[in-house]
Amino acid sequence: IRLGVRYLEKAVFNLDYGQLKLVFHALEERKQVIENAPHLCHALPCMTPCFNWFEVVYYWMGLKMYDLVAGRHILHLSRYYSVQESIELFPTLARKGKDKSLRGTVVYYDGQMNDSRLNVGLACSAALAGAAVLNHAEVVSFLKDEGSERIIGAKIRDNLSGQEFETYAEVVVNAAGPFCDSVRKMANKDAQSMICPSSGVHVVLPDYYSPEGMGLIVPKTKDGRVVFMLPWLGRTVAGTTDSNTSITALPEPHEDEIQFILDAICDYLNVKVRRTDVLSAWSGIRPLAMDPTAKNTESISRDHVVCEDFPGLVTITGGKWTTYRSMAEDAVNAAIKSGKLSPRNECITGNLRLVGGDGWESSSFTVLAQQYVRMKKTHGGKVVPGVMDTASAKHLSHAYGTLAERVATIAQNETLGKRLAHGYPYLEAEVAYCARNEYCESAIDFIARRSRLAFLDTDAAGRALPRIIEILAKEHNWDRSRQKQEMQKAREFLETFKSSKNAQFHDGKHQ
């Protein structure tokens, strides 16, 4: 849940009230997410290296303004660390740049989350509240009222069975991210585009690149971009690029974008940054929004846009993860207005705990470690007990919150206590649990959308696939041909991730 440092800079130094409001709102929402899903979100200190005294003063003042703006939404106070303190906190930080020496660092606190788990948690929380949740389904066309031309529903295809069905609604909300324009064009083929798609590439490196509890953010590299390197789910994630792109279902990172990130972080580290260390590299599409009613292109923003440019179809796009909750509130308010609906109460998601978050404590993992064993089947078919080690217990507790005991029970009682991939805490029991309780319908669902294994280590995800598919096949009664199809689809998906092992066949530039 990164709060844009750049927005703060614009807001404070250009005295831009609009930007300041955006920052203030994001700070408020950030605090809320951490409180509503405490198992999935936490505060993370981020270090900005300063190479002259002007930078020290500039960043220190800027971040003190940040503390001030945050007010009661502050996570922790920002502060300056000397060179010696900085190196102790971040051993891989370089004392000398190309032609300059480190003068210390300024550390501020931001939020970090497990995004795939938060996404699933939202869907499951909605289902518990009475929503009908459907995945692997797509809108084929809209149903319109013959008289008024208002949209009154949609024809939907279930992509797992191929069946099509119609469903009716007072209002349809289009929240399709980068694909929102193609949905709008189904309603009106002449609809003006709202999305200015931007490609964000990230690379994952081994954990030794950054210490466990400290990130590194450089607000301005030599070519003016922001780079960061953060500890994430036991590894290090580095990014990011921001370049125009076309919209595809499986975006791929370009070799020179990966190289750009590696070169950018190289200037600030005393570790040799090697292409061969890249465990996974991927590209995502940011749906930057342009308000179709705005006159100029400067309205492209990280803020979100809600509009109803076709009767009965409310579109929400733009925005960022940090403010997802208030985006949903705005979209629902627009839908209420559009359908003249009469809700029974005001919005209550401001302090609604997500599934697994209620009653969760950061010490909850100790219960798992003390009370459960991981039963494993050896190659010879013998069942042996394994210890519920701290890494596994912490992982389960953070991923599933108070529901972690259910996963631990499956690991113990159904002999699914083995790890899926060497060096990662993911257990076989999680695949069964996700199939039963979290709408996990495909192998890709598990490696990318229920866990983050594909994003953390593409090759480890590939090695775990046969076992993941074996467990899912048992849960969903898949036949041989479906299992083969799952393997093929997952392998194709993993090919769009350019880990060092996977990249040597692309662009001919692998070293």
Side-chain angles (χ1 to χ4, degrees), residues 51 84 92 96 114 164 169 171 177 231 263 293 305 316 341 456 464:
F51 290 96
Q84 194 50 45
T92 49
K96 284 196 171 12
N114 182 336
E164 292 191 356
V171 188
D263 291 345
T293 56
V305 174
I316 177 157
L341 310 174
L456 285 171

Side-chain angles (χ1 to χ4, degrees), residues 294-365:
K295 301 282 177 284
N296 60 6
T297 52
E298 276 178 15
S299 60
I300 297 173
S301 137
R302 293 293 162 99
D303 207 356
H304 59 277
V305 174
V306 182
C307 66
E308 182 181 14
D309 50 3
F310 201 91
L313 180 68
V314 169
T315 293
I316 177 157
T317 190
K320 45 201 246 183
W321 246 124
T322 312
T323 55
Y324 82 86
R325 193 212 60 80
S326 70
M327 287 168 69
E329 188 178 335
D330 290 352
V332 172
N333 286 343
I336 289 168
K337 197 173 155 196
S338 164
K340 300 184 175 62
L341 310 174
S342 42
R344 278 177 299 194
N345 48 270
E346 290 283 297
C347 176
I348 57 165
T349 53
N351 44 22
L352 185 73
R353 288 280 168 113
L354 288 195
V355 63
D358 208 15
W360 182 85
E361 298 285 340
S362 53
S363 58
S364 297
F365 75 93

